[in-house]
Structures are given as C-alpha cells and as structure tokens.
C-alpha cells in the first residue's frame, strides 16, 4: 500500500467513494476524522494487530486518536469507506493526514527506522 496524501479537496478515491451509496456525508465525516489529529487509528477493539499498533504508538509517547469501529455509530460505513481508499484490513493508520496503511506497513516503517521521523514531521512526537 503506498502512502496517499489526502488534501483539502477530495482526491479521486474520496470522490469515487462519495459517489457510492453511502454518500458524500460519510465520506466527508471520514475525511474530517483523518485530519483532526496528527495520528489517527481506525481499529476494532478485539483486534490483536490493532492493539499492537496502538501499543507501539503509546511506547513512543504518541497519543493517537483511536476510532474503534465496532463501538462507534456508523462504524461499518467508515470501514467500507476505508476499504475503497485501499485499506482492506484493520488497523488503518493515518499520520499527518497521510494514509500509511495497516499493521504490516507500520511495523515495516518501525523496522526501517522510518516511523519516528514520520511522527515528528506530523507533529505527533517531539524530540
């Protein structure tokens, strides 16, 4: 999964999703959720991979915004929106408004020493 910057205007993927049956309002809601904090994690409360990623961020001292899709209203619609954006698994992580991916991408970044600089650039971590 490649990193995707979601800018102020709807990207092609967001426009495609907005055209689906769930509509513009849900796409806009997800977009706003992504931009509200430097690190946003969409997960499910029972998912061990989601727990692992959240623990990694906590170990860094990062306080991500976490949306447990099995516990919030319209969580299923949000999960479908993320799928259209290319996130077929949970957790789905955005850093600085950028779609980073799931647990595999986060762990890969960590192993390659790329996660910390990304968190610093997003303003989620201070050194």
């Amino acid at each position: 999964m490649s990193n995707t910057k979601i800018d102020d205007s709807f990207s092609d993927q967001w426009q495609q999703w907005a055209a689906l049956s769930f509509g513009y309002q849900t796409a806009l809601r997800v977009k706003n959720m992504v931009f509200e904090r430097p690190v946003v994690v969409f997960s499910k409360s029972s998912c061990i991979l989601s727990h692992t990623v959240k623990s990694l961020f906590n170990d860094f001292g990062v306080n991500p915004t976490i949306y447990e899709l099995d516990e919030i209203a319209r969580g299923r619609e949000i999960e479908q929106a993320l799928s259209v954006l290319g996130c077929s698994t949970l957790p789905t992580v955005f850093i600085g408004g950028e779609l980073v991916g799931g647990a595999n991408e986060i762990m890969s970044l960590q192993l390659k020493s790329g996660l910390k600089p990304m968190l610093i650039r997003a303003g989620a971590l201070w050194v």
Side-chain angles (χ1 to χ4, degrees), residues 3-119:
N3 293 351
T4 305
K5 183 69 175 179
I6 302 172
D7 59 17
D8 289 331
S9 63
F10 275 111
S11 68
D12 289 340
Q13 289 174 320
W14 285 97
Q15 288 177 15
Q16 289 170 5
W17 190 83
L20 295 175
S21 61
F22 295 105
Y24 180 81
Q25 290 301 319
T26 303
L28 185 59
R29 179 177 180 211
V30 172
K31 181 177 177 248
N32 289 337
M33 294 165 91
V34 165
F35 280 106
E36 90 181 4
R37 300 273 192 232
V39 179
V40 178
V41 179
F42 293 93
S43 70
K44 288 194 176 175
S45 59
S46 61
C47 174
I48 189 66
L49 292 175
S50 294
H51 176 74
T52 301
V53 167
K54 291 182 280 189
S55 294
L56 176 63
F57 287 130
N58 288 332
D59 289 346
F60 270 113
V62 171
N63 187 21
T65 298
I66 299 169
Y67 294 102
E68 301 291 359
L69 298 181
D70 57 337
E71 296 178 354
I72 63 172
R74 300 197 172 178
R76 183 71 187 129
E77 289 179 18
I78 292 168
E79 189 173 354
Q80 289 175 338
L82 295 170
S83 179
V84 170
L85 289 171
C87 312
S88 58
T89 62
L90 294 174
T92 298
V93 178
F94 290 82
I95 299 176
E98 188 174 323
L99 171 58
V100 178
N104 287 344
E105 290 80 12
I106 294 298
M107 295 305 171
S108 178
L109 276 169
Q110 172 62 3
L111 290 172
K112 296 176 183 176
S113 300
L115 184 58
K116 185 175 180 178
M118 185 179 278
L119 292 169

